[in-house]
Amino acid sequence: MTTLDTDTLEMVLATLREYAAKQLSPEYLRDLDARDEFPMDVLRELYDPDKIGLHLIFIPEEYGGLGGGAYDIYRVSELMARIDLGIATGVLATFLGTDPITVGGTEEQKTHWMGRIADEGLLVAYGATEPQAGSDLGTLTTKAEPVIEDGQVVGYKISGRKQWISNGGVAEIYTILASAPGGLSWFVVEKDAPGFVKGKHEDKHGIRASNTSALFLDDVYVTADRLVGGVEGRGLAQAQAVFGYTRLMVAAFGLGGGWAALERAIRYSQTRVQGGGLLSTKQAYTHKLLVPNAVRLEAARAYIEWTAARIDAGEPDLQTEGAIAKYLATESGNKAAEDSIQAHGGYGYTKEYMVEKIKRDVRITCIYEGTSEIMEWTIARDRWQLHLKTRGAYYLDWAKRLDALAASSPAGGAATAALAMRALATLLERSRLDRLTRNQHVLFRLGELIAYAETAAIFAEHAATPSSAMPFTAETRLAMARIHARTAALKIASDGLGWAIGAGQTDPNLASSLGLPAIYAAQAGQIEDMNRVAADLVAAFPAE
């Protein structure tokens, strides 16, 4: 599945683990957090081509990089997030900053800028967000005024303000999105350009080892060859072209952050005695705080790997899949971190225990690169259009494929995932007939339910194939897939029914049409599967 050869990817991951074990101890990371300090020396070592050269994963081979694909970047991103999400964000910022050049630059621009970044290990920042223009890039106000000599555009003067820019105060190269006469366009700006001022480092809730600053541009002059692609008006399309890719990377951050916390809770449960026995032996603990989080995270992983494989195969237009991956992985990671604090009791609420810091860090993954609410809207909008275009057949056809899978491989929950798909199709059609999506909240809740349905389907389809990223057997993954399919089906039917009634739906038999009796019957075996997963989590992560 890896674009890199397997040995190269494993070498990069092993090098990262070794570096983190030696240089990035929990004590050091907590100290960075307390001092709100960006570890420039760490980023320099990570980017040093003669040491780790982590940034080379993102750079195509023809410009001096390793040319890693979506799968490789997901694996590296998850590991970085497991180590420290603040430091991982500094790496993410360079990747985002190079995106406009990678996607839209001329060959000369790619050779020059990507070559410099590869050779010199330069930090990069992505300057899109503004104080009044977050995820809605179409409303930004930064302007790029052409400078004309002898009837030719020789350069641009850029003026405006950018907000919440990762690496904003420490980068050496910036890609800045501004409105030119021909439309939104990306420009390359270097750190010492006259009129370019970096704001103070933001005092953040989490990821305090990352640098986040405002940028102020006052008639910052750039030559015409700094216009990415050489043509005005392509900036928004260039930004949207990589959403599926970049959101997959943030999904991996949520996945890694969630597992970093959950693994600590699993190990803690094997040392803490309560009520005469270890917490790891008590369903009240494992079946509430451990198992559901592990299942959601691994369902998200299956969807991430499925989407990455499609990206690496050259499939275009995967923004919706990227949104689903980001939504479930980051919401699941945030929930896993929250429950890991609970799992540690009072200790988890203290800064001495890493779960407290991880929770503050992972929270940002539900916000940056598109909030969870933007993801819900994106998912619902795109899949709603697909439902209308196919006259309701899209999810019904998927359900048929799951039925066929269940006939040959019944152990992975495909039959229950098919029930989820049919319930979703019924809910979407009822929303169409009764015009329920006039209510914005209904539309957004459909986005959540779609994410659960699709991840249940993909997990069921891929559960029998172990992921190289986690130490779970095929049997454990099959049990997890069954749990997630049951949860998704019940959520879609019960929550969907509630919201449809709340919005005024008119079908008196909707509960039956959604298949609620069959979905309730499919819950048989849930506790047994949770028992299996709880035992396997303890086996996979024994107390240290």
Side-chain angles (χ1 to χ4, degrees), residues 276-315:
L278 291 172
L279 289 174
S280 60
T281 66
K282 299 179 181 298
Q283 284 186 353
Y285 182 96
T286 59
H287 289 31
K288 179 185 179 184
L289 301 176
L290 303 184
V291 173
N293 288 300
V295 167
R296 280 190 296 267
L297 288 170
E298 288 309 290
R301 182 190 305 282
Y303 201 89
I304 288 170
E305 293 188 350
W306 176 69
T307 304
R310 294 174 66 186
I311 291 173
D312 288 339
E315 191 172 338

Side-chain angles (χ1 to χ4, degrees), residues 3 22 48 57 59 85 137 185 242 252 288 445 454 484:
T3 299
K22 291 181 177 178
D48 187 338
I57 291 284
I59 299 174
L85 255 168
L137 299 180
S185 307
V242 295
K288 179 185 179 184
R445 297 283 48 80
E454 292 201 16
H484 188 63

Side-chain angles (χ1 to χ4, degrees), residues 104-144:
T106 65
E107 190 58 37
E108 291 77 13
Q109 288 171 333
K110 292 177 184 179
T111 299
H112 175 73
W113 293 112
M114 302 301 285
R116 278 195 61 192
I117 293 165
D119 293 342
E120 301 174 37
L122 301 178
L123 292 177
V124 187
Y126 181 82
T129 307
E130 297 186 359
Q132 302 302 320
S135 297
D136 186 4
L137 299 180
T139 63
L140 62 79
T141 60
T142 299
K143 301 293 184 184

Side-chain angles (χ1 to χ4, degrees), residues 35-84:
R35 289 186 284 115
D36 196 18
E37 180 180 314
F38 176 76
M40 179 63 84
D41 56 334
V42 171
L43 270 294
R44 291 292 186 209
E45 289 184 332
L46 290 174
Y47 280 25
D48 187 338
D50 295 326
K51 293 183 179 179
I52 299 177
L54 187 61
H55 65 301
L56 299 178
I57 291 284
F58 311 126
I59 299 174
E61 288 184 273
E62 57 266 34
Y63 308 119
L66 292 174
Y71 180 84
D72 307 303
I73 291 169
Y74 132 65
R75 291 293 306 280
V76 170
S77 298
E78 183 194 2
L79 178 55
M80 283 299 304
R82 277 175 169 264
I83 295 167
D84 187 87

Side-chain angles (χ1 to χ4, degrees), residues 101-414:
I101 302 171
T102 303
V103 170
T106 65
E107 190 58 37
E108 291 77 13
Q109 288 171 333
K110 292 177 184 179
T111 299
H112 175 73
W113 293 112
M114 302 301 285
R116 278 195 61 192
I117 293 165
D119 293 342
E120 301 174 37
L122 301 178
L123 292 177
V124 187
Y126 181 82
T129 307
E130 297 186 359
Q132 302 302 320
S135 297
D136 186 4
L137 299 180
T139 63
L140 62 79
T141 60
T142 299
K143 301 293 184 184
E145 298 291 341
V147 176
I148 300 174
E149 294 180 3
D150 299 327
Q152 300 291 322
V153 176
V154 297
Y156 293 84
K157 288 186 176 181
I158 305 173
S159 295
R161 177 181 176 181
K162 299 296 181 180
Q163 188 73 35
W164 315 121
I165 307 304
S166 296
N167 286 358
V170 297
E172 289 130 318
I173 295 173
Y174 298 75
T175 46
I176 301 293
L177 188 62
S179 180
L184 294 179
S185 307
W186 289 99
F187 298 87
V188 180
V189 178
E190 295 193 70
K191 65 177 183 179
D192 55 358
F196 188 28
V197 177
K198 276 68 75 176
K200 67 176 181 65
H201 171 57
E202 299 287 354
D203 186 5
K204 304 187 298 295
H205 173 64
I207 58 167
R208 291 166 64 83
S210 70
N211 174 269
T212 307
S213 303
L215 305 176
F216 303 90
L217 300 100
D218 184 11
D219 282 344
V220 174
Y221 179 74
V222 296
T223 54
D225 61 358
R226 305 298 181 91
L227 168 63
V228 175
V231 179
E232 296 176 5
R234 296 180 177 176
L236 195 56
Q238 291 163 352
Q240 292 173 337
V242 295
F243 273 159
Y245 202 78
T246 57
R247 285 172 176 166
L248 203 70
M249 186 176 182
V250 179
F253 279 5
L255 182 66
W259 266 116
L262 189 60
E263 182 179 334
R264 286 170 167 81
I266 295 167
R267 296 187 193 280
Y268 177 79
S269 73
Q270 299 167 69
T271 63
R272 176 69 167 170
V273 174
Q274 191 75 20
L278 291 172
L279 289 174
S280 60
T281 66
K282 299 179 181 298
Q283 284 186 353
Y285 182 96
T286 59
H287 289 31
K288 179 185 179 184
L289 301 176
L290 303 184
V291 173
N293 288 300
V295 167
R296 280 190 296 267
L297 288 170
E298 288 309 290
R301 182 190 305 282
Y303 201 89
I304 288 170
E305 293 188 350
W306 176 69
T307 304
R310 294 174 66 186
I311 291 173
D312 288 339
E315 191 172 338
D317 302 325
L318 293 172
Q319 291 92 337
T320 311
E321 286 78 4
I324 290 172
K326 182 187 185 298
Y327 179 75
L328 191 73
T330 59
E331 286 290 317
S332 300
N334 190 49
K335 175 64 171 165
E338 176 73 21
D339 284 353
S340 294
I341 288 179
Q342 189 76 9
H344 281 78
Y347 292 111
Y349 201 63
T350 66
K351 291 185 180 295
E352 181 182 354
Y353 280 70
M354 284 292 285
V355 290
E356 184 275 338
K357 175 184 177 300
I358 293 169
K359 174 62 181 74
R360 286 187 289 105
D361 287 348
V362 79
R363 185 68 184 84
I364 191 61
T365 65
C366 299
I367 298 173
Y368 65 10
E369 197 58 14
T371 65
S372 291
E373 292 69 36
I374 290 291
M375 297 302 100
E376 289 174 346
W377 176 76
T378 299
I379 296 163
R381 176 201 62 193
D382 294 352
R383 293 306 196 233
W384 176 250
Q385 292 172 353
L386 198 53
H387 175 80
L388 298 178
K389 181 179 178 181
T390 63
R391 298 184 179 182
Y394 182 72
Y395 286 117
L396 292 177
D397 288 346
W398 201 338
K400 291 177 183 177
R401 296 196 298 272
L402 287 165
D403 284 336
L405 175 63
S408 60
S409 303

Side-chain angles (χ1 to χ4, degrees), residues 1-48:
M1 187 177 291
T2 175
T3 299
L4 300 176
D5 64 84
T6 303
D7 289 344
T8 299
L9 175 60
E10 291 303 324
M11 180 187 70
V12 171
L13 296 173
T15 301
L16 263 180
R17 292 189 191 98
E18 182 181 351
Y19 177 80
K22 291 181 177 178
Q23 304 295 332
L24 305 178
S25 67
E27 294 76 18
Y28 172 74
L29 295 174
R30 287 198 299 268
D31 185 55
L32 283 180
D33 178 82
R35 289 186 284 115
D36 196 18
E37 180 180 314
F38 176 76
M40 179 63 84
D41 56 334
V42 171
L43 270 294
R44 291 292 186 209
E45 289 184 332
L46 290 174
Y47 280 25
D48 187 338

